[in-house]
Amino acid sequence: MGLARRALRLVTGHPLSALLPEHRLRFDADALATWGTDRTSSFGVAPGCIAFPESVSEVQAIVRAARAHGLGIVPSGGRTGLSGGAVAGHGEVVLSLDRMNHILGFNPTDRLVTCQAGVITQNLQEYAQARGLCYPVEFASAGSSHIGGNIATNAGGIKVIRYGMTRDWVAGLSVVAGTGALMHLNGGLVKNNTGYDFRHLFIGSEGTLGVIVEAQMRLTTAPAEQSVLVMGVRTLADVLSALARLRAAVDLSAFEFFSELCLRKVIAHKAVQRPLSEAAPFYALVEFDQSAQAQVFEAFEALCAQGLALDGVLSQSRAQARSLWYLREAISESLAPEHPYKNDVSVCIEDVPEFLDDVSELVNSAYPHFEVCWYGHIGDGNLHLNILKPADLSDAQFYEQCHAISPALFELVQARNGSVSAEHGVGLLKRDFLRYSRSEEEIEAMRGVKAVFDPDGIMNPGKLL
Ligand code: MLT
Ligand code: ZN
């Protein structure tokens, strides 16, 4: 097998063959299928090869060679993306950061961890915890997503209401731009007013400007013990009333919601029980410091008295808190077998109630034959609306139908200056809809920025713009 592959490569003379040992440049079908895509299923997957660099200089050499030969590069992290940002569909080189997965150092004074881009999120979280600190960005795919991918997509997750997005925790970046140049951006400084902060351009750039190779991530104080309340509510408007009431009473660490249909999907796929004895149309999951239990309880009782909450369950131990969280965190995985068309929209929290009314009306008229799952980070104004694929439609048919309806939803988003991609990124899925959230002038300026860092357009071609 080794000989056959070597022979193939001598025949094809791939431009990267001289740069990496044979086992770190793969052309086999298994590798192409695995590393050529992310968690989406609607896009064609056809990468040219998969490269596994182990050092910054190897990344630079790959980018320079790709540039010289006009090859596209798709940077690839944990491949947990939901918008096709890491899909290689046109013979690109997939540059996997899997082997650049080391934590390089810790600066306790500044609470900074220097990570290679391929460090798995959970490993950084555990590293912080072992030092009595916390890396607070949290989401269900933390066990496989990479820090580099989190930065490239400015990942959000379930604690944004308290801790913000990945952007808030990036103190420095090292990147290899599409030119092959290595740049060290900000170097961990708290204060640095020396002009444009390119670090922030690379955060959320989805691999279109270059490859993030290293990052200095800031840590914070470990949180107090947390409690979780799950309550049943009748309407989406009631979810928001509960948010307002609870937020006025305590500092929240999370405020999530999901519909009964989501819960049913989780129960069908995982060994879990209903949280409440009676089903409710919607559920809100609230996390807060355990020391605030009394205030939360009082607010909850007031909500019940007003008919805004139907019933609730409050965790009495860490294990119970974890199982309540699981009901929310397992939604994405439980819906995956039904190949959902994912919407990930946001508006200002003030606009959420009216926005929800309009979206409900649209969903009822536009998707009468599809199952629609509502869930998300409603405390951040971020709604995930997943349309499930009926078994009798092909992926392509279903994608086309949903894509055709999307403009109506995005008009509602645009009317409120909202975002068509609150946290999953634009990738391929939302590329055609970018103009609903960004003006023509902004998109033109984005193209200009790309041309500076990636003049030959080799970095993640076709994504975002
Ligand atoms: C979530 O909130 O569960 C994640 O963004 C993943 C998803 O929406 O499927
Ligand atoms: Zn989410």
Side-chain angles (χ1 to χ4, degrees):
M1 183 60 192
L3 274 179
R5 198 185 302 145
R6 181 167 304 136
L8 174 71
R9 285 171 56 189
L10 285 174
V11 172
T12 55
H14 194 279
L16 302 190
S17 297
L19 304 179
L20 297 175
E22 190 176 336
H23 67 286
R24 293 203 279 115
L25 185 62
R26 292 182 57 177
F27 298 86
D28 55 289
D30 270 2
L32 300 184
T34 304
W35 278 272
T37 190
D38 54 16
R39 289 210 180 147
T40 52
S41 56
S42 318
F43 307 108
V45 177
C49 64
I50 320 295
F52 297 93
E54 288 184 347
S55 66
V56 172
S57 55
E58 282 186 353
V59 173
Q60 278 187 282
I62 293 168
V63 172
R64 288 187 178 132
R67 196 175 175 202
H69 291 87
L71 296 173
I73 293 183
V74 176
S76 169
R79 303 185 309 285
T80 57
L82 298 165
S83 298
V87 171
H90 303 282
E92 301 94 330
V93 174
V94 172
L95 191 155
S96 165
L97 278 306
D98 278 9
R99 296 176 83 99
M100 292 178 64
N101 59 357
H102 300 291
I103 291 185
L104 302 176
F106 177 49
N107 162 353
T109 313
D110 294 270
R111 294 180 161 185
L112 292 178
V113 185
T114 302
C115 305
Q116 288 187 308
V119 166
I120 289 176
T121 314
Q122 193 177 323
N123 292 351
L124 174 60
Q125 290 167 338
E126 286 168 4
Y127 184 92
Q129 209 176 3
R131 282 150 190 81
L133 295 168
C134 165
Y135 177 65
V137 180
E138 177 65 293
F139 33 75
S141 60
S144 38
S145 69
H146 290 185
I147 288 299
N150 296 177
I151 297 170
T153 56
N154 187 25
I158 53 182
K159 303 283 173 90
V160 172
I161 198 170
R162 183 154 197 177
Y163 293 109
M165 311 268 285
T166 300
R167 181 184 300 284
D168 298 297
W169 301 94
V170 180
L173 281 184
S174 297
V175 301
V176 173
T179 54
L182 173 64
M183 298 184 202
H184 302 289
L185 309 176
N186 196 59
L189 298 174
V190 175
K191 301 180 92 169
N192 176 15
N193 282 347
T194 51
Y196 309 129
D197 190 340
F198 294 148
R199 167 184 49 152
H200 286 293
L201 278 182
F202 273 80
I203 299 170
S205 63
E206 302 188 25
T208 61
L209 303 179
V211 185
I212 293 166
V213 286
E214 285 174 20
Q216 282 159 299
M217 305 305 292
R218 207 173 285 291
L219 305 184
T220 188
T221 310
E225 196 64 38
Q226 300 292 295
S227 292
V228 174
L229 165 72
V230 168
M231 54 190 176
V233 289
R234 208 167 275 126
T235 65
L236 283 168
D238 292 351
V239 175
L240 286 153
S241 306
L243 169 64
R245 177 83 203 214
L246 286 159
R247 216 176 186 184
V250 290
D251 277 341
L252 301 177
S253 303
F255 190 96
E256 302 276 314
F257 91 107
F258 48 94
S259 64
E260 164 65 11
L261 181 57
C262 295
L263 179 62
R264 274 197 260 132
K265 298 288 176 185
V266 173
I267 291 171
H269 285 88
K270 312 278 179 189
V272 294
Q273 310 261 318
R274 286 192 162 276
L276 307 174
S277 50
E278 304 249 329
F282 295 98
Y283 303 88
L285 182 153
V286 196
E287 191 184 73
F288 51 91
D289 289 357
Q290 201 173 73
S291 56
Q293 273 202 10
Q295 292 97 301
V296 169
F297 196 70
E298 197 182 309
F300 170 69
E301 295 229 290
L303 288 166
C304 290
Q306 287 174 276
L308 294 170
L310 301 170
D311 192 5
V313 53
L314 180 64
S315 67
Q316 298 301 318
S317 65
R318 266 189 211 178
Q320 278 180 14
R322 259 200 308 276
S323 16
L324 290 174
W325 259 120
Y326 190 67
L327 301 174
R328 164 66 185 89
E329 291 204 280
I331 294 173
S332 194
E333 220 180 285
S334 305
L335 301 185
E338 297 185 60
H339 296 200
Y341 184 90
K342 290 196 165 277
N343 285 296
D344 164 37
V345 295
S346 69
V347 296
C348 279
I349 298 163
E350 183 190 42
D351 297 326
V352 171
E354 204 186 88
F355 177 66
L356 284 177
D357 283 348
D358 291 352
V359 175
S360 306
E361 202 176 301
L362 173 73
V363 164
N364 293 338
S365 64
Y367 301 113
H369 309 302
F370 295 157
E371 280 189 313
V372 179
C373 285
W374 298 73
Y375 62 102
H377 321 285
I378 200 143
D380 314 323
N382 179 187
L383 197 67
H384 294 314
L385 200 64
N386 281 217
I387 326 292
L388 306 189
K389 187 180 85 61
D392 60 342
L393 283 186
S394 71
D395 273 351
Q397 287 168 326
F398 176 63
Y399 178 83
E400 213 173 283
Q401 288 189 25
C402 292
H403 222 56
I405 293 167
S406 284
L409 171 63
F410 295 149
E411 275 165 23
L412 300 177
V413 172
Q414 186 178 35
R416 292 169 178 86
N417 295 319
S419 175
V420 297
S421 180
E423 61 167 6
H424 294 167
V426 174
L428 292 170
L429 187 63
K430 302 288 155 55
R431 185 193 57 191
D432 301 344
F433 306 117
L434 187 59
R435 68 197 161 79
Y436 288 93
S437 285
R438 310 298 293 262
S439 68
E440 257 174 51
E441 291 80 359
E442 278 182 290
I443 293 173
E444 211 33 52
M446 282 187 182
R447 288 190 206 287
V449 169
K450 178 162 169 77
V452 170
F453 288 96
D454 178 28
D456 299 322
I458 60 165
M459 290 310 311
N460 217 2
K463 314 294 166 37
L464 177 58
L465 295 168

